[in-house]
């Protein structure tokens, strides 16, 4: 099977690159050749000593190719820095790579044909880690091709890597800082583990993996030793924990009852104990008899027969005398089950609490890989929650337990349930609650400070601050940072084999000073080889060795703010300038992860917030609203889209959508196509129209014209400019980009169309004014477009810039704000609305728009002569009158004179000729002759207006024959 990479290449070669794509590629070459990106960092907007606007990147993995989520982030992370660069800031953009953790470990396990911790240890950690080192950058070349191609400027050459010695050393330093502040501690507690990956998971990782699944619950019978024939009923949704049972728990104040029931098989009367409230649910329609009622306290201390004897008979078991009895605790409710809980302290947080409180025996009948231990003889080696190919495979072992209970008369009932159950985010194995030792960052201890620091963060959209992010931060729990894995940064703690001595190292130098060994790498396969003598053992017997755990990879990415700079070992000044960083961006799920872990680490180490402004995006979904999925093939390949529509069209489509405000976007090819056609297609048309006439009169670019259309489009541009600027200052990319389409529409279908005769006309001064204004608008619009559609902005800039302008639009400065004359805009809006109504009336009158009419009267106050001319032109009428008090909105004078009829015919003739030219594929401005069939009347008209016709159609030679009007272009 071809891998992803080959598939991508195959697809790429299948798409023929569009004009738009080729245009972008040429610009990319220009940027590379002229080092525009580098120049823009050195001298943004031409500034000699620029202030910094700071930004850093959340690191992606290079173990796969970029997907739409990465593209989306890239568009956001490119637009803001480009804008800030134009505002005169120096914006460094160091790329980063995430290198550690389960994604790459799982790939390597597959690659080496092994599975699980034992296998890894068998082949050796060195070999395993070396393979990770080899594999981690498998797709880097694809990234290095796609990222620049989408117009993202980033310094990929000097990317930080979370596996670099320097990066990892900064983490060691931060770890020690936190440790010394008492913010890191070790604890044994119930954690969620993935039995396949054999590691603990953090709160956010667990939260990510909840899925609704079917399961089996059982109600088991626990016979009281002193009252044989009486059974306590306890209910559990995890039958596999029953062999680990060491106690039962009731609520002290809950009402319980003893209920008599005839056994269906033997007809013997059997007594059951359940919560009173649960009787109906437990016994249903059976004929039962309530014998007695009492509070839970009455049950406390009663001993029962263990369901299984694997541990109960083990005389060496600590606290054995306290086991297999009934206890009261306050976490019991009589709202579900039987109101009595089965206690397996190694597999539940509350169970563990009770166990500590009353000194229950500690029984862990399942190992870390999720298998029953050998002493559980009936089930030894079975996987307790297997992940199989079928969706119900996870119940297989529970079914075995239930069969055994039934066979041994210890099963009261079983039931199918559906519940939300956590799975490994990486390998989809059902997680287990498991008692294990772990290292923690004491988040709860610093929470009030973290909440305080968070007040200084500006979120886009704003609701994230108090919502998704704020709530997560408020509910944050201590962060488990140790993992029993291999390819990750190491926890820098060495411990004595003989005594309690423990030493923490915050740098390579510190470790060298103590051990005499200078390491060039801080991975497990290297530093685990370093041992030295304990200082505190009385007889000097003890040897110091590193604790085996490695760090949660979120400790890596959370350390980016300082570790990417190798702080504090290097770049102190730069770090101080950068913190807190001005801007970062990621998808909203990072509120629980990257945003959060940065905030915790920077808050804990530096007592401040890590970042000041965040853009939180939603997710890119497939057009059908489902997750984008390779196997469903429900989305187009990104490179296919770029080759077809260009990167700019994708950028504007995405940036102007709700996805930049934490909402999801159902990605539709049609949407990108529309941007390409409407925005860029029309923009290019406008430019090309300007280009046709630009050499007809010498002109610069200017906004000084007093012509009503010129004044209007300049104000229109200023208004857009002000809106874009305000939105960008607020980090609102959708607002910033949404106005482009309407502006280009106004420019194309109103300004340029209405100015067409001015470009073509004989009035040199007016022609110059129109060309100067058009050029001014295009040049300024190139700048406005630059942060968002960098290629088309550059394309337009190259064609409209002044002598002395910078060679790239991305080296220019953002324009300052100009006052907008709103009255100009509202007056034109009124005019256009009136015209639209008058055109409707004209259509109703039955005259086509090419037939000039004598006059129109509009219900409105008087407009200026210039606007009257605009109206007359657009409506093709000789005169425009205004009558504010008139009944109808529009009055048309439809009486035709000979002169009007003749002009109407002329317009028809012109139209047919232009159409013929177009169909013949002639270029604008190219002169040609034509064979014309026409009536004698039409021939007369053509001869009469020959000069005008030639000027407008570039047809300068007429070869007449008699007949119905047909134009045949002579090439
Ligand atoms: Zn897993
Ligand atoms: Zn010692």
């Amino acid at each position: 099977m071809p891998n992803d990479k080959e598939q991508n290449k195959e697809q790429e070669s299948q798409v023929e690159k569009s004009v738009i794509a080729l245009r972008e590629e040429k610009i990319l070459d220009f940027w590379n050749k002229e080092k525009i990106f580098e120049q823009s960092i050195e001298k943004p907007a031409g500034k000699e000593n620029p202030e910094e606007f700071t930004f850093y990147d959340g690191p992606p993995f290079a173990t796969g190719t970029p997907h739409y989520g990465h593209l989306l982030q890239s568009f956001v992370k490119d637009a803001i820095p480009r804008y800030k660069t134009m505002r005169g800031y120096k914006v460094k953009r160091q790329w980063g790579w995430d290198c550690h953790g389960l994604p790459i470990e799982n790939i390597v396990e597959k690659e080496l044909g092994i599975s699980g911790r034992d296998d890894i240890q068998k082949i050796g950690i060195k070999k395993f880690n070396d393979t990770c080192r080899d594999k981690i950058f498998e797709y880097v070349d694809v990234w290095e091709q796609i990222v620049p191609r989408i117009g993202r400027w980033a310094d990929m050459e000097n990317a930080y890597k979370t596996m670099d010695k320097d990066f990892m050393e900064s983490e060691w330093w931060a770890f020690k800082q936190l440790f010394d502040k008492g913010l890191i501690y070790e604890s044994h507690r119930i954690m969620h583990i993935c039995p396949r990956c054999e590691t603990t998971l953090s709160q956010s990782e667990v939260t990510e993996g909840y899925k609704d699944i079917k399961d089996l619950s059982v109600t088991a019978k626990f016979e009281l030793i002193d009252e044989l024939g009486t059974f306590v009923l306890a209910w559990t949704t995890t039958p596999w924990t029953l062999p680990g049972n060491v106690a039962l728990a009731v609520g002290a104040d809950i009402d319980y009852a003893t209920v008599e029931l005839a056994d269906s098989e033997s007809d013997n009367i059997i007594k059951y104990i359940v919560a009173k409230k649960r009787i109906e649910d437990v016994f249903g329609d059976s004929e039962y008899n309530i014998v007695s009622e009492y509070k839970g306290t009455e049950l406390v201390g009663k001993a029962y027969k263990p369901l299984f004897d694997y541990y109960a008979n083990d005389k060496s078991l600590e606290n054995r005398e306290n086991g297999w009895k009934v206890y009261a605790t306050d976490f019991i409710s009589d709202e579900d089950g039987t109101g009595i809980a089965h206690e397996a302290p190694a597999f539940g947080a509350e169970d563990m609490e009770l166990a500590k409180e009353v000194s229950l025996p500690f029984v862990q009948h399942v190992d870390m890989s999720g298998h029953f231990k050998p002493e559980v003889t009936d089930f030894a080696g079975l996987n307790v929650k297997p992940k199989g190919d079928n969706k119900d495979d996870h119940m297989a072992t529970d079914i075995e337990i239930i069969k055994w209970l039934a066979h041994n008369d210890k099963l009261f009932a079983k039931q199918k349930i559906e519940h939300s159950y956590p799975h490994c985010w990486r390998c989809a194995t059902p997680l287990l609650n498991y008692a294990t030792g772990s290292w923690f960052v004491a988040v709860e201890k610093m929470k009030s400070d973290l909440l305080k620091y968070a007040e200084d963060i500006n979120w886009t959209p704003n609701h994230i601050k108090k919502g998704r992010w704020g709530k997560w931060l408020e509910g944050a729990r201590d962060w488990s940072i140790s993992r029993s894995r291999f390819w990750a940064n190491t926890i820098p703690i060495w411990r004595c084999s003989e005594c309690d001595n423990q030493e923490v190292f915050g740098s390579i130098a510190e470790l060298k000073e103590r051990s005499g060994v200078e390491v060039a790498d801080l991975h497990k396969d290297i530093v685990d080889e370093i041992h030295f003598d304990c200082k505190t053992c009385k007889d000097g017997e003890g040897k110091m060795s590193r604790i085996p755990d490695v760090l949660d990879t979120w400790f890596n990415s959370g350390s980016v703010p300082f570790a990417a700079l190798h702080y504090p070992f290097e770049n102190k000044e730069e770090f101080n300038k950068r913190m807190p960083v001005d801007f970062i961006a990621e998808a909203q799920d990072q509120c629980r992860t990257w945003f959060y872990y940065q905030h915790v680490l920077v808050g804990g180490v530096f007592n401040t917030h890590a970042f000041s402004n965040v853009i939180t995006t939603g997710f890119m979904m497939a057009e059908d609203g489902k997750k984008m999925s390779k196997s469903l093939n429900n989305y187009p390949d990104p490179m296919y889209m770029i080759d077809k529509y260009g990167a700019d069209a994708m950028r504007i489509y995405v940036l102007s959508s709700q996805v930049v405000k934490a909402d999801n976007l159902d990605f539709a090819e049609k949407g990108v196509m529309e941007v390409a056609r409407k925005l860029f297609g029309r923009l290019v048309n406008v430019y090309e129209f300007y280009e046709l006439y630009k050499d007809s009169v010498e002109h610069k670019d200017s906004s000084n014209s007093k012509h009503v259309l010129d004044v209007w489009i300049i104000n229109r541009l200023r208004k857009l400019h002000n809106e874009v600027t305000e939105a960008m200052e607020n980090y609102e990319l959708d607002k910033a980009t949404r106005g482009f389409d309407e502006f280009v529409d106004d420019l194309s279908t109103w300004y340029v169309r209405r100015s067409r005769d001015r470009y073509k006309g004989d009035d040199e001064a007016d022609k110059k004014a129109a060309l100067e204004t058009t050029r001014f608008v295009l040049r300024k619009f190139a700048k406005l477009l630059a942060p968002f559609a960098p290629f088309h902005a550059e394309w337009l800039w190259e064609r409209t810039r002044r002598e002395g302008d910078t060679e790239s639009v991305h080296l220019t400065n953002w324009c300052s704000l100009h006052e907008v004359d709103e009255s100009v805009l509202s007056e034109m809006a009124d005019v256009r609305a009136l015209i639209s109504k008058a055109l409707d009336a004209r259509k109703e009158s039955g005259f086509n728009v090419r037939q000039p009419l004598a006059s129109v009267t509009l219900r409105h106050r008087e407009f200026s002569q210039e606007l009257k001319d605009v109206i007359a032109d657009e409506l093709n009428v000789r005169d425009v009158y205004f009558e504010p008090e008139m009944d109808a909105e529009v009055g048309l004078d439809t009486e035709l004179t000979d002169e009007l009829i003749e002009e109407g015919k002329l317009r028809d003739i012109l139209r047919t000729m232009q159409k013929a030219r177009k169909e013949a594929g002639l270029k604008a401005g190219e002169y040609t002759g034509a064979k014309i069939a026409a009536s004698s009347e039409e021939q007369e008209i053509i001869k009469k207006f020959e000069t005008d016709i030639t000027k407008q159609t570039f047809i300068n030679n007429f070869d007449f024959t008699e007949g119905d009007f047909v134009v045949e272009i002579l090439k």
Side-chain angles (χ1 to χ4, degrees):
M1 222 176 77
N3 63 26
D4 288 357
K5 210 166 169 180
E6 280 159 358
Q7 262 171 355
N8 274 350
K9 282 198 176 133
E10 227 169 78
Q11 263 183 334
E12 256 170 64
S13 60
Q14 281 168 4
V15 188
E16 207 182 312
K17 284 177 188 169
S18 63
V19 175
I20 205 169
L22 292 171
R23 184 188 299 150
E24 290 184 350
E25 287 184 4
K26 247 175 106 180
I27 286 160
L28 198 55
D29 289 343
F30 162 71
W31 288 343
N32 288 337
K33 206 171 137 244
E34 302 300 323
K35 298 199 178 306
I36 304 297
F37 173 42
E38 291 80 352
Q39 286 191 52
S40 82
I41 291 175
E42 279 320 306
K43 273 191 199 174
K47 281 218 169 147
E48 286 296 334
N49 293 306
E51 222 181 287
E52 276 207 48
F53 175 84
T54 53
F55 160 80
Y56 52 67
D57 209 348
F61 268 104
T63 47
T65 54
H67 54 62
Y68 279 96
H70 297 120
L71 264 50
L72 153 64
Q73 300 310 333
S74 277
F75 297 159
V76 173
K77 291 173 188 175
D78 189 61
I80 298 285
R82 279 188 195 265
Y83 169 75
K84 291 294 179 185
T85 300
M86 291 176 80
R87 303 284 333 215
Y89 293 99
K90 183 187 188 90
V91 193
K92 289 190 197 162
R93 277 159 270 183
Q94 186 187 21
W95 187 267
W97 292 113
D98 204 356
C99 308
H100 285 142
L102 286 182
I104 176 68
E105 286 201 4
N106 288 356
I107 288 170
V108 167
E109 279 185 51
K110 266 188 204 139
E111 169 92 12
L112 295 172
I114 58 175
S115 176
R117 291 175 54 81
D118 284 353
D119 282 2
I120 295 171
Q121 261 146 345
K122 245 178 257 161
I123 67 152
I125 297 167
K126 182 168 181 344
K127 179 165 182 201
F128 184 77
N129 278 359
D130 282 345
T131 316
C132 291
R133 279 186 193 97
D134 277 357
K135 280 271 145 192
I136 188 73
F137 293 121
E138 185 158 21
Y139 290 99
V140 155
D141 54 339
V142 183
W143 284 81
E144 285 175 346
Q145 183 211 342
I146 291 183
V147 170
R149 179 60 192 88
I150 58 172
R152 167 102 190 258
W153 275 354
D155 180 4
M156 297 182 87
E157 235 168 85
N158 299 303
Y160 69 80
K161 304 180 191 82
T162 61
M163 61 180 241
D164 280 351
K165 179 193 75 178
D166 287 353
F167 192 101
M168 292 165 73
E169 188 180 28
S170 290
E171 286 181 67
W172 274 30
W173 172 81
F175 183 95
K176 194 177 181 197
Q177 294 287 311
L178 293 172
F179 189 91
D180 290 346
K181 286 184 180 184
L183 292 173
I184 285 185
Y185 67 94
E186 188 187 23
S187 170
H188 283 268
R189 58 168 75 174
I190 301 291
M191 305 274 302
H192 276 104
I193 62 157
C194 170
R196 201 215 71 85
C197 300
E198 284 183 65
T199 187
T200 57
L201 297 167
S202 66
Q203 188 190 359
S204 61
E205 288 172 316
V206 174
T207 308
E208 207 174 307
Y210 273 92
K211 277 192 271 189
D212 285 334
I213 57 167
K214 290 204 172 67
D215 247 326
L216 289 167
S217 71
V218 303
T219 307
K221 293 156 65 176
F222 296 84
E223 189 169 24
L224 291 179
I225 287 173
D226 292 335
E227 299 164 53
L228 291 178
T230 301
F231 296 88
V232 180
L233 295 183
W235 179 77
T236 176
T237 57
T238 50
W240 60 267
T241 60
L242 285 170
N245 172 276
V246 291
L248 293 173
V250 295
D253 294 327
I254 293 176
D255 291 319
Y256 290 89
T258 302
V259 174
E260 276 184 352
L261 194 69
D263 187 51
S264 55
E265 277 166 33
S266 61
D267 256 6
N268 290 340
I269 298 293
I270 299 175
K271 289 180 183 164
Y272 296 108
I273 294 172
V274 295
K276 191 183 159 196
K277 229 176 161 178
R278 308 303 310 157
I279 291 176
E280 261 177 59
D281 274 2
V282 172
F283 300 105
D285 297 335
S286 317
E287 272 183 38
Y288 57 82
N289 193 12
I290 298 174
V291 183
S292 58
E293 291 178 22
Y294 38 83
K295 292 283 179 199
T297 42
E298 304 264 320
L299 293 168
V300 172
K302 290 187 191 281
Y304 61 88
K305 288 190 188 167
L307 294 182
F308 302 90
D309 56 10
Y310 316 128
Y311 298 97
N313 295 335
D314 177 2
K315 297 224 167 62
S316 65
L317 184 67
E318 207 179 334
N319 297 328
R320 177 167 163 262
E321 66 282 7
N322 299 332
W324 299 280
K325 287 179 185 163
V326 179
Y327 290 88
T329 178
D330 50 13
F331 60 76
I332 303 297
S333 119
D334 55 0
E335 296 302 321
D336 57 9
T338 61
I340 297 163
H342 124 73
E343 298 297 299
F347 305 94
E350 286 165 334
D351 308 38
M352 179 79 141
E353 252 173 63
L354 176 69
K356 279 183 186 160
E357 199 183 308
V358 302
S359 303
L360 290 177
F362 185 78
V363 165
Q364 200 159 32
H365 65 292
V366 175
D367 67 21
M368 188 94 173
S369 72
H371 296 84
F372 286 117
K373 290 181 177 170
E375 62 265 29
V376 185
T377 46
D378 298 285
F379 311 100
L382 276 188
N383 190 337
V384 301
K385 212 83 187 143
K387 179 199 164 207
D389 296 331
N390 300 315
K391 68 175 175 30
D392 289 338
D393 284 354
H394 61 273
M395 293 189 279
T397 298
D398 286 335
I399 291 170
E400 291 305 310
I401 298 277
I402 291 167
K403 276 189 194 158
W404 187 95
L405 292 174
H407 195 71
N408 291 281
D409 195 22
K410 290 174 178 180
L411 179 72
F412 178 78
K414 62 175 196 293
Q415 219 180 353
K416 279 193 181 134
I417 55 159
E418 212 175 306
H419 59 167
S420 183
Y421 194 91
H423 294 73
C424 179
W425 63 278
R426 189 62 221 169
C427 72
T429 300
L431 302 183
L432 305 180
N433 268 323
Y434 200 84
T436 182
S438 183
W439 288 85
F440 293 86
V441 172
V443 177
E444 288 163 64
K445 208 162 152 186
M446 41 170 147
K447 198 186 287 182
S448 63
D449 286 336
L450 293 179
L451 286 166
K452 202 173 72 207
Y453 307 147
E455 285 167 17
D456 294 328
I457 304 172
N458 168 43
W459 290 85
T460 304
N462 192 257
H463 64 77
I464 298 285
K465 183 168 185 153
K466 295 277 173 224
R468 183 172 278 270
W469 157 266
K471 292 214 171 87
W472 179 259
L473 193 55
E474 270 168 30
R477 300 208 299 266
D478 286 356
W479 170 19
S480 152
I481 49 166
S482 56
R483 298 288 181 273
S484 33
R485 297 299 302 182
F486 306 95
W487 177 241
N489 198 353
T490 39
I491 292 186
I493 297 178
W494 267 253
R495 262 187 183 158
C496 176
S497 55
E498 306 300 323
C499 72
D500 286 344
N501 184 27
Q502 158 175 298
E503 291 175 42
V504 182
F505 297 95
S507 71
I508 291 170
E510 280 174 30
L511 180 63
K512 184 191 172 189
E513 198 185 307
R514 185 69 179 83
S515 68
V517 182
E518 183 166 356
V519 288
D521 187 316
L522 296 176
H523 285 94
K524 186 172 167 67
D525 49 301
I526 312 283
V527 292
D528 283 8
E529 301 300 316
I530 300 176
H531 309 276
F532 39 90
D533 293 338
C534 174
K535 273 183 188 163
T536 45
C537 280
K538 259 184 259 154
D539 42 13
E541 285 289 288
K543 273 260 179 277
M544 303 291 286
S545 300
R546 201 184 68 81
I547 63 166
D549 290 346
V550 295
L551 278 170
D552 178 8
T553 49
W554 286 112
F555 203 99
N556 300 175
S557 31
S559 298
V560 165
F562 46 91
L565 294 174
H566 194 212
Y567 181 88
F569 307 100
E570 287 178 81
N571 303 313
K572 268 191 169 159
E573 203 181 317
E574 169 138 25
F575 173 79
N576 290 332
K577 256 196 285 179
R578 157 155 138 178
M579 285 310 291
V581 76
D582 288 318
F583 169 68
I584 59 170
E586 286 297 336
Q588 40 113 324
D589 58 331
Q590 305 290 329
C591 286
R592 289 171 173 173
T593 49
W594 193 52
F595 299 150
Y596 169 71
Y597 292 120
Q598 285 181 73
H599 191 69
V600 168
L601 290 180
V602 169
V605 177
F606 301 97
N607 304 319
T608 181
H609 56 293
F611 43 85
S612 300
N613 299 284
V614 204
I615 292 181
T616 323
T617 72
F619 296 108
M620 299 280 267
M621 311 301 276
E623 195 171 355
D624 56 11
K626 291 189 185 135
K627 251 189 170 174
M628 286 188 173
S629 140
K630 247 189 193 147
S631 56
L632 288 178
N633 197 21
N634 59 355
Y635 64 97
D637 181 79
M639 273 319 287
Y640 157 87
M641 292 297 293
I642 288 164
D643 285 341
K644 199 164 170 189
Y645 305 104
D648 278 352
M650 286 246 278
R651 291 174 64 120
I652 296 287
Y653 170 70
V654 168
L655 291 175
S656 62
S657 78
Q658 73 276 13
V659 79
V660 297
K661 280 205 164 152
D663 280 333
N664 293 352
L665 171 67
D666 297 343
F667 183 87
E669 179 171 350
K670 208 177 119 228
V672 180
M673 187 183 78
E674 255 171 38
V675 175
R677 194 169 49 85
K678 282 173 74 185
L679 179 58
F680 297 118
R682 279 198 286 206
L683 181 63
V684 169
N685 282 345
V686 167
Y687 171 74
E688 283 175 347
F689 189 75
Y690 163 79
E691 196 181 33
L692 264 187
Y693 296 97
K694 78 174 166 60
D695 295 329
S696 62
V697 57
E698 203 175 307
H699 68 281
K700 293 179 178 148
D701 71 290
S702 157
S703 59
N704 293 332
S705 165
K706 297 284 177 275
H707 189 285
V708 66
L709 284 167
D710 297 340
V711 171
W712 173 72
I713 196 68
I714 296 291
N715 274 285
R716 185 69 185 76
L717 176 74
R718 284 180 179 163
K719 190 175 168 84
L720 177 72
H721 172 79
N722 295 357
E723 284 166 358
V724 173
T725 308
E726 193 193 332
M728 287 306 278
E729 290 302 314
N730 292 328
Y731 295 89
E732 293 178 300
L733 289 162
D734 56 334
K735 274 197 194 161
T737 47
R738 247 172 225 169
F740 291 148
D741 188 44
E742 205 187 320
F743 178 78
V744 169
D745 188 54
D746 280 353
L747 177 65
S748 156
T749 63
W750 191 245
Y751 176 76
V752 169
R753 198 166 61 80
R754 286 272 34 98
S755 300
R756 210 175 282 179
D757 291 343
R758 301 171 62 208
Y759 291 111
K760 293 178 183 172
D762 297 323
D763 183 342
E764 290 280 310
D766 191 38
K767 177 188 272 203
K768 192 174 171 191
L771 288 169
E772 281 187 339
T773 305
T774 309
R775 182 164 184 163
F776 179 87
V777 170
L778 290 175
R779 179 174 168 277
K780 293 281 185 189
F781 189 65
K783 286 195 187 187
L784 265 185
L785 212 49
F788 317 100
F791 294 107
H792 279 79
E794 193 75 300
W795 179 87
L796 194 56
W797 178 254
E798 194 193 329
R799 282 156 181 78
T800 56
R801 66 189 160 108
R802 296 175 188 166
E803 216 175 302
D805 270 341
T806 57
E807 58 185 320
S808 166
V809 72
H810 303 289
L811 301 174
T812 64
N813 58 339
W814 194 255
C815 300
S816 43
L817 297 182
H818 279 276
E819 192 106 18
V820 177
D821 187 343
E822 289 287 348
S823 69
V824 169
L825 297 178
S826 69
E827 200 160 53
M828 189 63 88
D830 287 352
V831 165
R832 293 178 75 181
L834 281 171
I835 285 174
S836 153
K837 280 172 192 153
L839 283 173
D840 287 347
R842 217 181 185 291
K843 216 183 230 167
E844 268 166 45
S845 74
F847 290 102
N848 92 34
V849 80
R850 286 184 302 283
Q851 174 60 59
L853 298 178
S855 72
V856 66
T857 310
L858 299 169
R859 187 175 69 197
H860 201 277
R861 61 174 173 74
E862 188 84 24
F863 283 120
S864 67
Q865 184 57 46
E866 273 185 312
L867 282 174
K868 262 159 102 170
D869 291 347
V870 168
I871 296 170
D873 255 10
E874 182 71 9
L875 292 178
N876 195 15
V877 297
R878 287 284 161 84
D879 281 307
V880 182
Y881 304 110
F882 296 101
E883 190 62 72
E885 307 295 334
M886 174 166 93
D887 283 343
E889 273 185 302
V890 179
L892 280 175
D893 178 358
T894 54
E895 201 130 324
L896 295 184
T897 61
D898 289 349
E899 203 195 337
L900 288 172
I901 293 169
E902 188 181 70
E903 201 185 323
K905 289 211 166 118
L906 174 62
R907 294 242 182 166
D908 279 333
I909 289 166
L910 283 170
R911 181 166 173 263
T912 310
M913 286 179 170
Q914 258 141 355
K915 212 172 135 204
R917 270 189 70 93
K918 215 174 192 180
E919 279 165 7
L922 285 178
K923 280 189 201 128
E926 190 181 335
Y927 282 94
T928 184
K931 249 168 114 173
I932 294 172
S935 66
S936 54
E937 194 196 351
E938 286 159 340
Q939 293 191 23
E940 284 300 308
I941 295 173
I942 293 171
K943 280 172 193 154
K944 186 171 168 187
F945 295 100
E946 195 176 330
T947 325
D948 266 5
I949 292 175
T950 300
K951 203 160 148 197
Q952 293 205 36
T953 63
F954 297 95
I955 298 175
N956 56 3
N957 207 343
F958 307 100
D959 181 2
F960 291 113
T961 52
E962 191 75 16
D964 286 345
F965 194 63
V966 179
V967 177
E968 191 191 329
I969 298 296
L970 296 170
K971 279 203 180 175

